[in-house]
Amino acid sequence: MSLYRDEGVVLRTQKLGEADRIVTILAKRTGKIRAVAKGVRRTTSRFGARLEPFTHVDLQLHTGRTLDVVTQAETLRPYGEALAADYPRYTAGSAMLETADRLTHGEKEPALRQFLLLVGGLRTLADREHEARLVLDAYFLRSLAVAGYAPALDACAKCQAPAIRAFAIVAGGVVCGACRPAGSAVPAGETIGLMTALLRGDWATADASESRHRSECSGLVAAYLQWHLEHGIRSLRHVEREPV
């Protein structure tokens, strides 16, 4: 039996048999893991509550033929407890978990930067440092950047011209008038500035942004993310914008 330890964030769970669960975890060193947690649905389980979505856990597992098996679990931080009572933050966190799951394709392929982004995003949500949708949009943009899909925001995505006229998802970001494809969005300059601030971690600029620019930014970021994933993020339909 090959044992190993890692820490990770529980992304999702599914029932297996009468008492077990399959737990999907984004781990710091190992990457995405799908493992069986035996007996966790029983009321007598030693660590059932430690293997719920949003929980940052320290794990011991042993390698199985198809799925690994969780043998120990210790909670490092239960982000779900801080988010459960705040609907906008809970739904934003759910969208983060789903996105992390989608962006880490292969199992046991190291994804340290995605793990660190997810932990940082959940911590920021739980600590209520910034408006929930701003945190979510920042997470989307940065996780896309780590995956190699960062949108061009400073110059035309096609010809590098500095004169920006529109935002085209299919082109990879902002475009000039000559390169602008049909159907491109024409956001306010402040909206592009907000996207840039979120990508760079400039929270002073992001927190000072106006509600209309936040709303426009959220729409563009969500569309850009889902186009690259080639699937919708189901959790996004429940995400609410907090009043500003």
Side-chain angles (χ1 to χ4, degrees):
M1 183 173 66
S2 176
L3 289 171
Y4 66 97
R5 296 194 72 89
D6 208 340
E7 64 176 270
V9 175
V10 180
L11 303 179
R12 58 187 169 92
T13 65
Q14 63 189 90
K15 294 179 180 178
L16 179 66
E18 295 184 357
D20 304 340
R21 278 200 182 107
I22 297 175
V23 185
T24 302
I25 301 154
L26 180 57
K28 185 175 183 178
R29 292 178 293 277
T30 313
K32 188 158 70 175
I33 303 167
R34 292 179 72 244
V36 176
K38 295 186 175 180
V40 294
R41 290 161 54 203
R42 297 193 183 102
T43 56
T44 56
S45 171
R46 292 179 293 115
F47 50 73
R50 304 171 194 171
L51 294 173
E52 293 293 332
F54 296 108
T55 308
H56 185 185
V57 288
D58 180 78
L59 298 165
Q60 179 176 280
L61 307 97
H62 74 73
T63 305
R65 290 185 179 180
T66 55
L67 294 173
D68 295 351
V69 178
V70 178
T71 57
Q72 292 180 13
E74 297 295 335
T75 301
L76 298 177
R77 184 164 180 183
Y79 292 108
E81 292 182 6
L83 301 178
D86 188 316
Y87 185 78
R89 293 182 184 276
Y90 178 82
T91 53
S94 297
M96 286 183 184
L97 297 186
E98 186 177 350
T99 300
D101 195 5
R102 294 284 184 87
L103 283 174
T104 51
H105 303 290
E107 292 184 27
K108 294 191 175 180
E109 294 180 3
L112 175 61
R113 293 179 67 191
Q114 292 290 359
F115 167 80
L116 294 174
L117 277 173
L118 180 60
V119 171
L122 293 175
R123 182 188 303 117
T124 303
L125 274 181
D127 293 346
R128 302 172 184 270
E129 296 178 14
H130 309 284
E131 189 262 333
R133 191 62 200 251
L134 285 178
V135 177
L136 178 60
D137 289 339
Y139 172 77
F140 284 163
L141 287 165
R142 294 181 200 178
S143 59
L144 281 166
V146 168
Y149 304 128
L153 297 173
D154 297 322
C156 178
K158 288 191 171 183
C159 72
Q160 311 306 312
I164 304 306
R165 294 295 179 85
F167 186 92
I169 293 171
V170 296
V174 294
V175 289
C176 65
C179 297
R180 175 186 172 186
S184 302
V186 186
E190 293 87 348
T191 299
I192 299 300
L194 174 57
M195 293 176 70
T196 302
L198 292 173
L199 183 58
R200 295 176 178 173
D202 179 1
W203 284 107
T205 298
D207 290 337
S209 61
E210 296 182 18
S211 178
R212 59 196 174 106
H213 299 137
R214 295 184 186 188
S215 179
E216 190 172 42
C217 173
S218 292
L220 291 175
V221 172
Y224 187 81
L225 170 73
Q226 293 179 103
W227 189 83
H228 278 287
L229 291 178
E230 299 181 354
H231 291 284
I233 298 295
R234 290 178 296 175
S235 305
L236 270 177
R237 73 187 69 172
H238 304 297
V239 170
E240 290 187 347
R241 295 181 180 87
E242 295 181 3
V244 180

